[in-house]
Amino acid sequence: MLFLEWEARHPQEWTGHAKDWGTKQALIRDLAATDHDRYLRAKLVDLVDLAVQRTYRCKDREYVRVARAVDGDELRDRLHRAQRSENPAARLHAGYVLLLLDRPEIPNTRHVWRTWLSGTLT
């Protein structure tokens, strides 16, 4: 968890010292697949929120897995706030995550992400 929080809060420092996209992806997938007590669930909601608030970084799409694992009122409230924010990256990412939460039949693939970015997936 600390590895992912470090990358989320200090992306430039992380990139300079610990950049490992494969490890990031594996950790996100592991966290999405584990049981979530109240504390871990809150930390994961925070982590998804941090990822949504910044410019897209490699493997950030993986956070959709975590969002699906901890979906609930707190996460959706934060995503809706991000969607209304002044931050264009947050609006874009939050909209994508909300779409995939609302439509679980849509896979979280590179193609779907690119289609979302092009504005043809709603």
Side-chain angles (χ1 to χ4, degrees):
M1 182 72 112
L2 290 175
F3 183 82
L4 295 173
E5 286 179 340
W6 179 24
E7 192 259 348
R9 294 181 192 282
H10 308 284
Q12 300 302 66
E13 179 183 290
W14 181 88
T15 299
H17 298 286
K19 178 179 152 184
D20 189 339
W21 302 119
T23 298
K24 175 183 175 179
Q25 181 178 25
L27 289 170
I28 292 170
R29 287 180 178 194
D30 285 348
L31 286 170
T34 61
D35 290 328
H36 306 103
D37 63 22
R38 183 182 297 175
Y39 175 77
L40 180 56
R41 182 181 194 81
K43 296 294 280 182
L44 292 174
V45 167
D46 289 344
L47 199 55
V48 170
D49 190 38
L50 285 169
V52 164
Q53 296 294 330
R54 66 171 186 227
T55 302
Y56 182 87
R57 290 177 53 85
C58 186
K59 306 295 182 187
D60 275 356
R61 208 172 28 81
E62 294 291 330
Y63 282 107
V64 170
R65 292 174 185 268
V66 175
R68 284 177 165 167
V70 298
D71 189 13
D73 292 341
E74 174 66 22
L75 177 63
R76 286 178 181 259
D77 287 347
R78 289 188 190 199
L79 291 170
H80 285 294
R81 277 194 303 272
Q83 226 181 1
R84 294 186 307 271
S85 78
E86 298 294 320
N87 178 344
R91 289 193 308 267
L92 183 69
H93 294 161
Y96 179 75
V97 174
L98 283 164
L99 171 74
L100 293 185
L101 289 176
D102 289 341
R103 300 192 43 206
E105 74 279 5
I106 297 176
N108 181 28
T109 63
R110 236 183 270 161
H111 173 74
V112 171
W113 172 244
R114 288 184 182 138
T115 303
W116 171 258
L117 291 176
S118 73
T120 58
L121 181 66
T122 57

